[in-house]
Amino acid sequence: MIERYAKCPVCDKRTAIKVSEGVLKHAKRFPFQVKVVHDDHYFYINLDSRAWITDILHPELVE
């Protein structure tokens, strides 16, 4: 398990994000987008090939 930190774009709270090491195993291209559930809402992060966060996206930007 890899732990990363990000500021939630919905509530502005800093949160720890635990990324499973195998999540990138089946990625066909990068950055790889992951949905993060945070409290009663969610947001998205983009990960590079080493599981570093490249972007933090508000749900309105993705959906």
Side-chain angles (χ1 to χ4, degrees), residues 5-56:
Y5 293 91
K7 184 177 177 183
C8 176
V10 177
C11 68
D12 289 329
K13 291 182 184 175
R14 186 171 183 233
T15 183
I17 299 170
K18 294 182 180 178
V19 179
S20 171
E21 292 183 31
V23 74
L24 300 176
K25 184 182 273 186
H26 300 291
K28 295 181 181 181
R29 63 184 183 134
F30 294 96
F32 183 71
Q33 195 166 86
V34 178
K35 183 177 182 178
V36 177
V37 177
H38 182 238
D39 295 335
D40 62 344
H41 53 276
Y42 59 92
F43 61 96
Y44 294 89
I45 59 172
N46 286 343
L47 301 173
D48 68 8
S49 60
R50 294 184 180 171
W52 287 102
I53 297 173
T54 60
D55 291 305
I56 302 169

